């Protein structure tokens, strides 16, 4: 019975109205909280998703820029190696004659025009440049002292060096790649190639996304924002800053930090930063950092994130509102509906009280009916127990009926061996009188075999006549079929030729009891042979087939089939088409097979009938 709370039943409409107003205020507060949480969560999800998308796109662009930078670097790196082995370079350094130097100047001038290098020049062991590709220009490097440059001292000591610095003559930044001429024991000088990155920076600038390359000290070397050159990614320590200024690597550059603040790390190489670009205001960027292979440099790439992130957040919040608002509206409708129902409940309180009184009376009636039903169930269980006893009696009656049918045949089976034994005994006496022991021994052996056969027949008969249900055990299926045929042999003498049996191998065993399974086989064989009585083409096919989970025994005949009216209730007690039949054989057979976890199926038409027994296979 559905019951309402007592408070709801006793509330007046005025009380329910005040309670409704409080409910709506609480609903409004909860709805606002849910909407705020949905907007916050949607914004957070939109920002995270968009940042991930921008990071994937930016990482691709950053990798392309690194690849382009490597391509620009690799080409000029081969020039110092080639020039260090050139004979004209060696002649100019060793002879230092005006003619050799003039030839070298013209050669360097011709080489630089065909490469991406900015300047090619050769320095003697004293640090003075003796030849240069810009020897004709006012800012020629010839005669300048480069002993203070790390690329000169590094090449003289290690054989090769790379050094980014501001040119002390040209005042243009570039990467100096140097290589020693001659071996370390007897150096002749140093060949230097200077690379400038103006075209690369111009290409980066067209993308309108800041990108910059910094060295191991954090000093910006190459950048798409010219005003950021020689600024630092982090403030330099005092000693480190002093050392850089002493060697004049970056001239008089102030080496102040970049206008990039408030970094928020998302991963080791991705972060959110705020940057101020020339002519622009403070904006949010996604910074991606990646190393430049074959150098100690790192490339940082800034992807504008403020506008796309804001758009993504706005879109996700609109989507969240599109979901939350209908849900809140539906919740409001449910709340209104509930309050309306409560108002109706308050108006119908008296009628409901009467209804509850009647329900209580009806419950008492149902309780009494339940008690009567339980008594009937108890009686039914007693009846069921008695029915099981009767069923066992019927099984025994069926077994004894079959026993009576086969008794005459068993007597015939015994009479034949007895007559044969009498003949063998007479022959044995005659042979003994004649002193012929070997034929007498053979006759006595035959008598013993016939005696064993009589014992087997009588044991089968006694075992079949026993009453009771035995536990399942492994039973050889071949012996069950052969025993059933033997017990039917006398009754159907001359008609057993209709049985076509495919005997299973002796190793095939099923779970059950041999005598009870023989009773099932006798019932099925007997029914099939009786259905074929008087037919010249009578044939009963018995087949055995192993399945994945058991054994299937099929008994098929080519008789007229079972009438549909009888087939529908074939396994119902006392249902039979035989004049003298009790209609219990198939019912008992089904119960026996079910006791051992199997089942019997039947199919019948004008062409004959097939019974299929499914039995569990013994392990």
């Amino acid at each position: 019975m559905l019951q309402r709370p007592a408070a709801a039943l006793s509330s007046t409409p005025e009380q329910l109205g005040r309670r409704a107003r409080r409910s709506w205020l609480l609903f409004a507060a909860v709805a606002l909280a849910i909407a705020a949480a949905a907007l916050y969560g949607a914004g957070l999800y939109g920002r995270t998703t968009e940042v991930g998308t921008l990071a994937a796109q930016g990482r691709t662009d950053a990798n392309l820029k690194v690849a382009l930078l490597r391509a620009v670097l690799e080409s000029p790196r081969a020039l110092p190696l080639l020039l260090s082995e050139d004979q004209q370079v060696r002649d100019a350094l060793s002879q230092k004659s005006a003619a050799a130097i003039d030839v070298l100047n013209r050669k360097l001038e011709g080489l630089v025009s065909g490469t991406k290098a900015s300047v090619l020049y050769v320095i003697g062991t004293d640090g003075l440049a003796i030849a240069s590709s810009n020897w004709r220009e006012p800012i020629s490097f010839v005669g300048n002292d480069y002993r203070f440059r790390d690329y000169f001292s590094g090449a003289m000591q290690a054989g090769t060096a790379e050094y980014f610095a501001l040119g002390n003559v040209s005042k243009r930044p570039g990467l100096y790649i140097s290589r020693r001429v001659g071996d370390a024991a007897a150096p002749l000088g140093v060949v230097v190639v200077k690379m400038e990155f103006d075209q690369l920076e111009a290409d980066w600038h067209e993308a309108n996304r800041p990108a910059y390359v910094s060295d191991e000290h954090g000093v910006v070397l190459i950048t798409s924002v010219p005003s950021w050159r020689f600024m630092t990614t982090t403030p330099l320590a005092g000693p480190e800053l002093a050392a850089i200024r002493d060697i004049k690597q970056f001239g008089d550059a102030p080496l102040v930090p970049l206008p990039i603040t408030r970094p928020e790390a998302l991963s080791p190489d991705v972060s959110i930063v705020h940057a101020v670009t020339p002519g622009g205001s403070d904006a949010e960027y996604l910074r991606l950092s990646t190393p430049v292979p074959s150098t100690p440099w790192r490339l940082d790439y800034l992807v504008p994130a403020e506008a796309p992130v804001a758009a993504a957040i706005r879109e996700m919040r609109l989507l969240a509102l599109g979901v939350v608002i209908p849900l809140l509206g539906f919740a409001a409708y449910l709340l209104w509906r509930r309050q309306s129902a409560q108002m109706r409940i308050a108006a119908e309180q008296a009628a409901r009280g009467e209804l509850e009184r009647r329900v209580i009376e009806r419950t008492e009636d149902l309780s009494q009916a339940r008690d009567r039903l339980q008594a009937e169930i108890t009686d039914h269980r007693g009846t069921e127990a008695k029915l099981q006893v009767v069923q066992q009696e019927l099984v025994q009656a069926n077994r004894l009926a079959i026993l009576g049918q086969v008794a005459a045949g068993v007597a015939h089976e015994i009479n034949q061996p007895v007559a044969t034994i009498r003949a063998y005994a007479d022959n044995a006496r005659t042979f003994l009188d004649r002193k012929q022991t070997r034929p007498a021994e053979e006759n006595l052996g035959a008598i013993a075999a016939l005696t064993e056969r009589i014992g087997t027949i009588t044991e089968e008969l006694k075992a079949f006549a026993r009453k009771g249900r035995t536990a399942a055990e492994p039973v050889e299926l071949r012996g069950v079929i052969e025993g059933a045929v033997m017990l039917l042999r006398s009754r159907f003498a001359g008609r057993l030729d209709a049985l076509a049996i495919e005997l299973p191998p002796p190793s095939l065993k099923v779970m059950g009891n041999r005598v009870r399974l023989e009773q099932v086989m006798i019932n099925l064989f007997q029914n099939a042979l009786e259905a074929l009585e008087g037919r010249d083409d009578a044939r009963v096919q018995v087949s055995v087939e192993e399945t994945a989970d058991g054994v299937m025994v099929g008994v098929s005949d080519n008789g007229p089939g079972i009438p549909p009216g009888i087939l529908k209730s074939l396994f119902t007690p006392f249902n039979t088409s035989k004049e003298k039949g009790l209609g219990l054989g198939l019912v008992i057979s089904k119960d026996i097979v079910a006791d051992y976890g199997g089942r019997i199926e039947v199919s019948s038409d004008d062409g004959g009938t097939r019974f299929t027994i499914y039995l569990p296979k013994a392990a």
Side-chain angles (χ1 to χ4, degrees), residues 39-184:
L39 290 175
Y40 175 78
L44 186 62
Y45 177 77
R47 177 182 177 84
T48 303
T49 303
E50 185 62 24
V51 166
T53 303
L54 291 175
Q57 296 174 351
R59 191 173 287 106
T60 301
D61 294 342
N63 291 336
L64 290 175
K65 292 183 183 299
V66 169
L68 180 60
L69 176 59
R70 288 191 65 189
V72 171
L73 287 173
E74 292 303 325
S75 178
R77 280 177 170 170
L79 285 174
L81 175 62
L82 297 174
L83 289 174
S84 65
E85 302 296 332
D86 188 82
Q87 189 61 43
Q88 293 178 340
V89 174
R90 290 176 175 269
D91 292 344
L93 287 171
S94 59
Q95 298 173 9
K96 294 188 178 180
S97 63
I101 291 174
D102 183 65
V103 170
L104 182 57
N105 278 329
R106 296 178 185 277
K107 180 171 185 174
L108 296 176
E109 184 179 26
L111 285 174
V112 78
S113 62
T115 65
K116 295 182 180 180
S118 174
V119 182
L120 290 170
Y121 54 103
V122 178
I123 305 173
T125 55
D126 55 359
L128 298 177
I130 65 169
S132 173
S133 61
N134 63 357
W135 63 283
R136 298 178 187 271
E137 301 176 9
I139 57 171
S140 171
F141 290 0
V142 176
N144 290 327
D145 188 356
Y146 293 102
R147 283 177 296 177
F148 70 96
R149 289 296 198 187
D150 286 353
Y151 61 79
F152 173 75
S153 58
M156 290 293 289
Q157 294 175 6
T160 183
E162 292 186 4
Y163 185 69
F164 195 101
L166 184 70
N168 63 326
V169 176
S170 65
K171 303 302 179 182
R172 294 176 60 82
L175 177 65
Y176 296 86
I177 304 173
S178 59
R179 191 171 185 88
R180 183 181 63 217
V181 181
D183 55 21

Side-chain angles (χ1 to χ4, degrees), residues 1 80 94 149 185 213 305 310 313 322 326 352 405 416 491 510 561 615 617:
M1 178 181 65
S94 59
R149 289 296 198 187
V213 177
I313 292 174
R352 188 168 52 254
Q405 293 174 2
Q416 285 183 344
R491 180 162 180 243
V510 297
L615 293 171
K617 184 167 56 176

Side-chain angles (χ1 to χ4, degrees), residues 543-557:
S543 60
V544 179
E545 180 181 347
E546 277 192 80
T547 63
D549 56 350
V551 177
M552 182 177 69
V553 181
V555 181
S556 305
D557 64 61

Side-chain angles (χ1 to χ4, degrees), residues 87-411:
Q87 189 61 43
Q88 293 178 340
V89 174
R90 290 176 175 269
D91 292 344
L93 287 171
S94 59
Q95 298 173 9
K96 294 188 178 180
S97 63
I101 291 174
D102 183 65
V103 170
L104 182 57
N105 278 329
R106 296 178 185 277
K107 180 171 185 174
L108 296 176
E109 184 179 26
L111 285 174
V112 78
S113 62
T115 65
K116 295 182 180 180
S118 174
V119 182
L120 290 170
Y121 54 103
V122 178
I123 305 173
T125 55
D126 55 359
L128 298 177
I130 65 169
S132 173
S133 61
N134 63 357
W135 63 283
R136 298 178 187 271
E137 301 176 9
I139 57 171
S140 171
F141 290 0
V142 176
N144 290 327
D145 188 356
Y146 293 102
R147 283 177 296 177
F148 70 96
R149 289 296 198 187
D150 286 353
Y151 61 79
F152 173 75
S153 58
M156 290 293 289
Q157 294 175 6
T160 183
E162 292 186 4
Y163 185 69
F164 195 101
L166 184 70
N168 63 326
V169 176
S170 65
K171 303 302 179 182
R172 294 176 60 82
L175 177 65
Y176 296 86
I177 304 173
S178 59
R179 191 171 185 88
R180 183 181 63 217
V181 181
D183 55 21
L188 298 176
V190 175
V191 177
V192 183
V193 177
K194 180 183 179 184
M195 289 183 57
E196 295 179 1
F197 301 92
D198 296 345
Q199 184 59 46
L200 180 65
E201 291 178 335
D203 294 339
W204 288 1
H205 183 72
E206 291 178 359
N208 201 25
R209 291 185 174 184
Y212 55 91
V213 177
S214 56
D215 64 8
E216 65 273 21
H217 301 294
V219 179
V220 176
L221 307 178
I222 307 168
T223 175
S224 61
V225 184
S227 61
W228 286 5
R229 183 177 290 108
F230 299 149
M231 299 183 79
T232 62
T233 57
T234 56
L236 294 178
E240 188 178 16
L241 180 62
I244 293 175
R245 292 195 183 282
D246 288 343
I247 61 176
K248 297 182 179 181
Q249 181 179 359
F250 304 111
D252 298 327
L255 300 176
V256 295
L258 288 167
I260 297 176
T261 58
R262 291 180 282 171
E264 177 187 346
L266 303 180
S267 68
D269 59 345
V270 181
S271 59
I272 295 289
V273 299
H274 288 258
V276 179
T277 56
S281 58
D282 187 3
E284 188 177 71
Y285 291 86
L286 183 68
R287 180 173 66 185
L288 296 100
S289 181
T290 181
V292 180
S294 75
T295 71
W297 300 345
R298 293 189 67 83
L299 180 139
D300 289 337
Y301 183 52
L302 302 184
V303 180
E306 194 165 348
V309 168
I313 292 174
R314 183 168 54 254
E315 180 180 355
M316 291 306 301
R317 283 177 174 172
L318 289 174
L319 181 61
L321 289 177
V323 174
V324 170
I325 289 177
L327 292 177
L328 291 176
F330 181 68
Y333 167 74
L334 293 178
L335 178 60
W336 170 82
R337 184 176 177 180
R338 179 175 180 273
Q339 291 174 350
S340 299
Q342 288 179 343
M343 294 295 288
R344 287 194 303 271
I345 291 171
E348 298 169 357
Q349 182 175 2
R352 188 168 52 254
E354 177 63 20
L355 177 61
E356 289 181 352
R357 183 184 63 78
R358 294 180 180 179
V359 167
I360 291 173
E361 293 177 354
R362 181 58 178 166
T363 302
E364 293 177 355
D365 294 340
L366 291 175
S367 297
Q368 294 175 1
R370 182 198 60 193
D371 294 339
R372 290 193 298 270
L373 180 59
Q374 287 180 345
E376 292 176 0
I377 291 174
T378 302
D379 294 341
H380 176 72
R381 288 176 177 170
T383 304
E384 184 178 357
K386 294 177 182 178
L387 180 61
Q388 290 180 353
V389 174
V390 172
Q391 185 180 10
Q392 290 296 321
E393 296 294 338
L394 289 175
V395 172
Q396 179 65 9
N398 177 260
R399 184 183 294 117
L400 294 176
I402 295 174
L403 184 63
Q405 293 174 2
V406 301
V410 171

Side-chain angles (χ1 to χ4, degrees), residues 469-485:
R469 179 180 301 176
T470 57
E473 60 183 5
V475 176
E476 185 180 320
L477 185 57
R478 183 187 185 107
V480 171
I481 296 174
E482 289 176 340
V485 173

Side-chain angles (χ1 to χ4, degrees), residues 494-508:
R495 294 166 57 190
L496 290 182
D497 293 340
L499 283 175
I501 302 176
E502 299 175 8
L503 288 173
S507 59
L508 180 60

